[in-house]
Structure formats: structure tokens, C-alpha cells
Amino acid sequence: MRRYLLLPLAVILLLTADQALACNVPVFRYALERWPADSFEVFVFHRGPLAPADKALCDTLAKYAETAPAVANYTFDRIDLDRKPDKEMAQLFDAQKVKGLPLLVVRYPGITGIKENAWAGRLSLEAVKSLLDSPARRAVVRRIVSGDSAVWLLLESGNRDRDEAAAKLLQGELAKLQKTLKLPELTADPEDKLSAKGPALQLAFSMVRVSRTDPAEKMLVEMLLHLEPDLRAPKYASEPMAFAVFGRGRALPPLIGKGITPENLSGDARFLIGPCTCKVKEQNPGVDLLVVADWEAPAARQPVLTFPTGQSSSTVAPPTAAAPPSEGSVLLLRNLLLAAGSGVVLVGALTFLVMRKGAGPSRKDLPV
């Protein structure tokens, strides 16, 4: 079945589902409150004891995977190849094309059926930071926990004219839909009761632009481009893609190039704000992204990630200013300089690392 038929078919199935299972809570809000995010699988392959820096990175990955209550939707395992791993892990390692150890491999949740890696490469501080955090994902979390119904990630193509045209269309249509669509009316039925922890129920759409070449968004870009088998095909490389993200980081199949139309955007939006007629998450369209977030907390209380360098990620929280030297330290330094009989110039530097389908079959030319 071609991909562009999946979402319309899913909507039809949902609308014809057993009404005994229906409730009037909009899909986006039902997903936020009652659909836990599916877990990615993260592995680090190595031989023998890890070097201190690599062990610190693994400890960081383990820390966020094991937090209770969970703030990250992934599991983490270290695989020591010298200890004869089981057949499944050995086969996974043998299938990797990246050379060198330690090797970081990120796999989609098994329930998705996606066989390709979300990402694989050498374990590094930059890779761990990009896996766990990025400005775009933080913006999505902040907006959703603040009440946005959905956030459209516009994955830019690199073609300025096409990207600007897509962004203008998205912004204009989302603003119109926000004014013209209406949320279903909640009833006194217990099934329609919302969590007191959530934001006020409202109809709000927004957009976040993501550059394919931004180092800080490297992992997010890879996750998005592996959601479907052919999103990385050359014919789509110069086309912008729009992914509607809702709930706890769940992304709908993308609208691509000429498929970013008012009709298709309206179809996605109507699905998202419509009553949740099917409560079974797996029977609804979309794939979860790997996101570190407390979905039951407000924007101001989201997790602040720390990394082995001892400083907070510069993409999560601003760095703390260094404390001024004490008077005793100043005097000691002056005396040493005088005793040496020559001037010594001390230069200090602190560097912050800020990493950051045209016409085709994926809902590109066909209206919903």
C-alpha cells in the first residue's frame, strides 16, 4: 500500500470504529495524557573496560534511561564484545558499517517495524548531546506542555526559495485552521475528563524550522529521515518536509514538497483535534521520536541535562559565570610574578560547542 494512503485510511477507520470506545477528548490531548512514548533502544558496543571519558558518556546515557519517573523514552545497554554477547547483539554489531569502537547504535522502538538504525556512529560527547537534546525538540516540548495542539517541524531542504515558500504556506494555513476549526465538546462522561496536571485545553498550532545541516539537530534529522524507507532518496533531498508532532513527541507521516498543501494540512489538523475514537495507540498513525521531557510538568520545570564535562549543555541552560579569584590568590600570583623577575601573560578561553519527497508519492500531490 502506498504511503500517501495510510493517513486517510487511518482516519476512515477511526471514524468508523466502535462508538462504545469513543470519547470526545481530542486526539492530541488523549495522546499527551494517555499514550506513553515508545522506547528506542540505545547500545554502546565496546571491548573490555571503557576509557574514563567513554565510561562517563555511558553513565550519562544510563542515567537518563533509568530516571524514575521516566523522562526519556529509550533503554540503554553496554555490550562488551569480549564477553561473547548473545546472537541478536552479535548480529546487530556485525551489521554495522561504521568502523571503530566504542560504537553507539540507536534503534527505533520495535513496535514501529523500522529495521534501519535511527543512527549509528562512534561514541562521542557531541553524539550523546545531539541524541538526548536539541533546540527544536526542546521547543516542541515547551509548546506542547504549554498547550499547543501540535507543532509542525519543517525540515528544510536547503533550497531557500522552496523552504521559504513552504514556511509561508505553513504559517498562513495553520493560522487559518486555528481560527476556523473547533474542538469537540467534552461531556460529563468520565472518559472525557482531563488530567488536572495538563495545560488548559485549547486549539493552537505552531511551526519550528529545522535545518538539515545544523549540527545540533543531527540526530533529530536522522530520526525524521528514517521514519519511512525512501525519505532519504535523492529525489526528496531538495524538498522541504513537514512533520506534525503531537502528544509525547509522536510524528505523523510527512507532507513533502508539493504535498504541503492547504488540503493536506487541514486533513492532518482535523485528525489531531478530532475526538479520539480509537484509544489504541498502535492503531493510530505516527511514530514516536526520542525526546527527553517530563510531559506532566510545565515548561519551566523541564529536565536540565548535564553532560560529562561537568557543565550543563549550552543548548539547555545558560552557563554559570565563573567566580572571581580570591584576594589571596591575586596576592600569591603577584608575588610569584615579582620573584620571577619577568612578566607572564595568562590567556584563558572557554569554548562552547553548539551542535546543532518536488513531486512524489508521500502525500505530495494528492489531497487527503
Side-chain angles (χ1 to χ4, degrees):
M1 181 181 296
R2 291 308 302 171
R3 186 167 52 249
Y4 58 78
L5 295 177
L6 291 180
L7 186 58
L9 179 57
V11 173
I12 292 171
L13 290 174
L14 293 176
L15 293 176
T16 57
D18 186 347
Q19 294 303 306
L21 296 178
C23 71
N24 281 352
V25 177
V27 170
F28 74 85
R29 187 55 173 266
Y30 197 95
L32 178 61
E33 295 189 2
R34 312 186 199 188
W35 289 350
D38 298 327
S39 289
F40 283 65
E41 296 177 312
V42 178
F43 304 99
V44 169
F45 292 90
H46 64 99
R47 291 190 183 278
L50 287 159
D54 294 330
K55 182 180 182 301
L57 291 174
C58 288
D59 290 345
T60 297
L61 289 169
K63 175 175 68 174
Y64 293 110
E66 297 167 0
T67 300
V71 296
N73 59 320
Y74 70 91
T75 60
F76 175 67
D77 282 300
R78 300 173 175 90
I79 309 298
D80 189 344
L81 298 170
D82 285 345
R83 294 190 176 187
K84 297 181 179 180
D86 61 36
K87 182 178 179 180
E88 182 181 2
M89 289 297 99
Q91 289 179 338
L92 177 59
F93 176 72
D94 291 341
Q96 304 309 310
K97 298 179 180 180
V98 181
K99 303 299 181 182
L101 295 174
L103 178 65
L104 174 65
V105 178
V106 183
R107 305 282 293 171
Y108 286 96
I111 198 168
T112 67
I114 300 175
K115 302 302 181 184
E116 285 191 275
N117 295 329
W119 191 83
R122 291 295 298 272
L123 176 69
S124 68
L125 176 59
E126 292 73 22
V128 171
K129 282 186 175 183
S130 186
L131 176 64
L132 300 185
D133 176 51
S134 75
R137 277 176 288 174
R138 259 181 294 111
V140 169
V141 172
R142 183 174 64 250
R143 296 181 188 192
I144 288 179
V145 300
S146 297
D148 273 20
S149 313
V151 181
W152 269 258
L153 288 177
L154 177 61
L155 183 60
E156 298 175 345
S157 65
N159 182 307
R160 183 173 180 177
D161 291 341
R162 293 180 181 180
D163 293 338
E164 292 301 326
K168 183 177 180 180
L169 188 150
L170 268 169
Q171 288 179 319
E173 291 304 317
L174 293 179
K176 290 179 184 179
L177 292 168
Q178 188 171 303
K179 293 178 180 180
T180 58
L181 297 182
K182 295 186 181 299
L183 294 174
E185 292 187 10
L186 301 183
T187 70
D189 191 301
E191 287 293 332
D192 286 358
K193 186 176 181 179
L194 301 178
S195 170
K197 296 181 180 180
L201 184 63
Q202 62 181 354
L203 198 164
F205 301 134
S206 61
M207 177 189 71
V208 172
R209 298 178 67 158
V210 180
S211 169
R212 298 193 192 205
T213 59
D214 187 342
E217 302 295 349
K218 180 178 180 178
M219 292 290 191
L220 175 60
V221 172
E222 291 296 314
M223 274 186 263
L224 293 172
L225 290 179
H226 283 93
L227 289 180
E228 296 181 358
D230 60 348
L231 291 183
R232 299 174 65 85
K235 62 181 177 180
Y236 301 132
S238 61
E239 297 291 354
M241 304 181 181
F243 300 78
V245 181
F246 66 105
R248 301 189 174 195
R250 191 169 184 82
L252 290 180
L255 303 178
I256 306 174
K258 294 180 180 179
I260 305 176
T261 66
E263 294 79 13
N264 283 335
L265 286 170
S266 177
D268 283 357
R270 290 175 186 277
F271 164 71
L272 291 169
I273 64 100
C276 190
T277 56
C278 179
K279 303 174 187 177
V280 181
K281 178 182 179 182
E282 291 73 24
Q283 293 180 9
N284 287 267
V287 176
D288 292 341
L289 302 174
L290 193 158
V291 181
V292 179
D294 184 346
W295 295 105
E296 296 184 0
R301 291 173 50 199
Q302 290 304 304
V304 176
L305 281 68
T306 56
F307 295 93
T309 55
Q311 67 183 47
S312 295
S313 166
S314 60
T315 63
V316 175
T320 303
S326 67
E327 181 179 356
S329 298
V330 173
L331 290 174
L332 177 61
L333 177 60
R334 186 187 65 183
N335 291 337
L336 288 173
L337 292 174
L338 290 173
S342 61
V344 178
V345 178
L346 301 177
V347 179
L350 179 62
T351 301
F352 295 101
L353 301 174
V354 182
M355 308 292 298
R356 229 218 88 65
K357 244 182 216 156
S362 182
R363 297 195 294 148
K364 298 167 66 64
D365 299 310
L366 298 181
V368 172

